[in-house]
Amino acid sequence: MNAASSAAGSSTGFTDSPSQPHQAPADVLAALWRDAAMPPEALSRIAMTGADPVLPSSFAVGTAAQASLGASALAAAALWAQRTGRWQTVSVDMRHALAEFRSERYLRVNGGPAPELWEKIAGVYPTGDGRWVRLHTNFPHHRDGVLRILNCAHDKDAVRAALAKWKAEDFETAASDAGMVVAAMRTFDEWQRHPQAQALHGLPPVIIEKIGDAPPQPLPALAPHAEINVDARPLSGVRVLDFTRIIAGPVAGRTLAAHGADVLLVTAAHLPSMPSLVIDTGRGKRSCQLDLRDPDDKRTVHKLIHGADVVVQGYRPNGLSDLGVGPEAAARARPGIVYVSLSAYGHVGPWSGKRGFDSLVQSATGINADETEAAGSAEPRPLPAQVLDHASGYLLAFGAMVALHRRAVEGGSWHVRVSLAQVGQWLRSLGRVPDGMGTPDQHIDEVSDLLEVEESGFGELTVVRHAAKLSETPAHWTLPSVPLGTHAAEWLPR
């Protein structure tokens, strides 16, 4: 198939010395924008305030937050201009962007804490060869699988004693072979020598490629005067089918909903979930449950795809393809579809099928080791937020809106790819912050001006407002978070 493609953010040269200055957020956003072939005049419409460091990190986490979130907001403004002929201004403050990158930490339910995020044996442990491994056990089957391999009790001390008999990479391999999610902590030099790092070298954080032919499909024109429809937004009338869980993919859907899309989350009753993340990332979405192993439910999914503009999926590589709803099948069924895929370690290389989460990718790729060294810590030090997850979420939304913008002019079906590891590579390319670790952390009372209270299907929530401010179409969520499976598996009328 003749596939036109673009790569957003293709400048991946490493600027890894802590003594070298990190890139300016405006330059980082401009690189993403230019590489996505978006209208250059848009760059004069965004203002970004603040500077790193805002949180304790040796990486330019504020720049990553501001640029990725700003790129998604500017893409929404470009779609608005395409639909109405009017540009609007966008502004993003770095402190607010980083608060939204920690939205799950600041979530409060009925005035009290949200459900606990971490299962009790999740975390980092020393191994017998003097190294470290990180376990992700938040799903019961991942927890039980790790305990089977270790042949120990469900207890931190028992896990620590069992891992003292393993070498870090041997345990990582054994766990991965069993379908578990574990990462050995590597230095950046060790990661660079790894075949997966070599496979990803030079790849951008966002890959946007045309995967099928279709005529141009402009989004419906919107009324020229906002007062005719006070809630008209850049993605009004756009239908998004959201097959995602945890943080990165759900943040993408939440972002598209903030700009007016009809986002329908699809889960299944047999799949585990994390209640705090369901609450935090469910804002603006409807939620249904379908089991793709059931023939009737599978037919319903195919019907939904026929009516969708965008599909966002974050399941294991080829998981949905094996069930007949991968990108190529979706493009055949619905020419003009924008199919958005998230993976942990990328779509190429020996780890392309490997499962993973933000905290594990930080460990495997040298980010934790560098933070540990910068902090002078004896134990592994993670980033001060799930930066890879949240940046991936906004870049997924950015890629989806870029593809919709290009579909309106060029036509075609589109595939957007983002991986946590490629976003980690991009984060590293932004440079290091020499004095970053000396910055005090921000607690919830210090970001109270960025929070709002709203009712939901879980009670009263305290949540972080969206950090991007659009002058004509303020981003917001018209639907509250609801328990999984609350809604029917159908589209709203356009």
Side-chain angles (χ1 to χ4, degrees):
M1 183 176 294
N2 294 326
S5 67
S6 73
S10 60
S11 176
T12 56
F14 291 119
T15 309
D16 193 47
S17 169
S19 64
Q20 290 181 300
H22 54 277
Q23 296 183 44
D27 294 338
V28 175
L29 187 150
L32 290 168
W33 195 256
R34 286 193 301 267
D35 292 341
M38 290 293 279
E41 64 270 23
L43 292 171
S44 66
R45 305 284 180 169
I46 186 165
M48 296 192 287
T49 54
D52 277 307
V54 175
L55 294 177
S57 177
S58 68
F59 287 89
V61 296
T63 296
Q66 192 174 39
S68 58
L69 200 153
S72 69
L74 196 61
L79 282 172
W80 181 254
Q82 192 179 58
R83 299 180 76 175
T84 66
R86 298 193 308 275
W87 281 100
Q88 58 181 312
T89 59
V90 178
S91 62
V92 183
D93 179 69
M94 186 178 290
R95 172 174 163 268
H96 196 164
L98 277 173
E100 196 163 2
F101 263 49
R102 309 211 303 180
S103 60
E104 70 278 2
R105 296 193 187 191
Y106 297 138
L107 174 70
R108 297 293 182 268
V109 181
N110 292 319
E116 175 58 46
L117 273 173
W118 296 98
E119 198 275 332
K120 72 175 186 178
I121 64 167
V124 291
Y125 295 85
T127 51
D129 56 349
R131 298 180 65 184
W132 297 85
V133 294
R134 182 177 290 277
L135 312 184
H136 196 288
T137 56
N138 291 340
F139 288 167
H141 64 293
H142 290 156
R143 175 200 65 208
D144 295 344
V146 163
L147 292 175
R148 276 195 300 271
I149 297 169
L150 293 176
N151 192 28
C152 73
H154 182 216
D155 174 83
K156 267 189 172 290
D157 289 338
V159 171
R160 187 175 291 107
L163 282 168
K165 302 173 184 176
W166 283 83
K167 292 182 178 179
E169 290 193 29
D170 288 349
F171 184 69
E172 175 188 67
T173 299
S176 293
D177 288 348
M180 300 302 106
V181 281
V182 168
M185 194 173 92
R186 292 171 174 79
T187 66
F188 178 51
D189 287 342
E190 289 171 334
W191 172 244
Q192 279 190 301
R193 294 193 295 269
H194 194 280
Q196 186 60 27
Q198 294 169 12
L200 297 181
H201 184 72
L203 290 182
V206 188
I207 297 171
I208 306 168
E209 58 184 354
K210 188 183 286 186
I211 60 169
D213 296 324
Q217 296 178 40
L219 296 178
L222 294 172
H225 300 293
E227 61 270 18
I228 296 175
N229 182 354
V230 294
D231 197 41
R233 282 175 285 167
L235 294 178
S236 293
V238 172
R239 292 170 170 174
V240 178
L241 202 55
D242 183 350
F243 292 102
T244 67
R245 292 184 295 168
I246 313 303
I247 297 177
V251 163
R254 185 180 71 185
T255 305
L256 297 173
H259 294 298
D262 175 15
V263 180
L264 181 62
L265 175 66
V266 181
T267 60
H270 68 280
L271 295 175
S273 62
M274 296 177 66
S276 285
L277 301 181
V278 170
I279 297 169
D280 181 51
T281 64
R283 285 176 275 163
K285 304 177 187 179
R286 294 181 301 118
S287 175
C288 71
Q289 289 191 326
L290 296 168
D291 187 343
L292 286 172
R293 303 169 302 179
D294 178 85
D296 289 339
D297 283 2
K298 192 172 180 179
R299 280 191 287 272
T300 299
V301 166
H302 281 281
K303 183 179 178 181
L304 289 170
I305 289 175
H306 277 280
D309 296 288
V310 178
V311 173
V312 185
Q313 73 88 18
Y315 286 92
R316 63 176 176 80
N318 298 319
L320 290 186
S321 293
D322 293 344
L323 292 167
V325 287
E328 291 78 14
R332 287 193 297 270
R334 198 296 195 200
I337 197 75
V338 172
Y339 197 99
V340 182
S341 295
L342 169 73
S343 64
Y345 291 99
H347 65 290
V348 295
W351 279 11
S352 60
K354 186 179 175 71
R355 296 169 172 87
F357 296 97
D358 179 310
S359 57
L360 302 176
V361 176
Q362 287 187 41
S363 292
T365 63
I367 290 173
N368 282 175
D370 284 337
E371 289 283 76
T372 303
E373 180 181 4
S377 174
E379 294 197 359
R381 179 76 172 254
L383 295 172
Q386 301 290 96
V387 174
L388 308 187
D389 262 336
H390 283 273
S392 293
Y394 292 110
L395 292 174
L396 287 162
F398 167 67
M401 287 187 276
V402 167
L404 287 172
H405 193 276
R406 294 174 64 175
R407 183 186 77 168
V409 178
E410 303 174 38
S413 300
W414 296 84
H415 192 189
V416 177
R417 298 182 190 266
V418 173
S419 79
L420 300 178
Q422 284 162 253
V423 169
Q425 181 174 264
W426 172 73
L427 171 65
R428 185 176 291 277
S429 78
L430 306 184
R432 303 287 291 282
V433 182
D435 55 348
M437 279 298 182
T439 305
D441 202 0
Q442 287 191 338
H443 301 287
I444 188 167
D445 56 337
E446 296 169 285
V447 297
S448 59
D449 58 311
L450 308 177
L451 306 178
E452 61 187 5
V453 176
E454 60 185 35
E455 292 299 323
S456 78
F458 303 93
E460 186 181 82
L461 305 182
T462 301
V463 295
V464 180
R465 294 194 307 275
H466 192 55
K469 297 180 180 179
L470 285 74
S471 61
E472 192 170 341
T473 62
H476 62 281
W477 295 283
T478 56
L479 298 176
S481 297
V482 293
L484 297 176
T486 292
H487 297 99
E490 60 188 18
W491 292 117
L492 297 175
R494 290 192 191 269

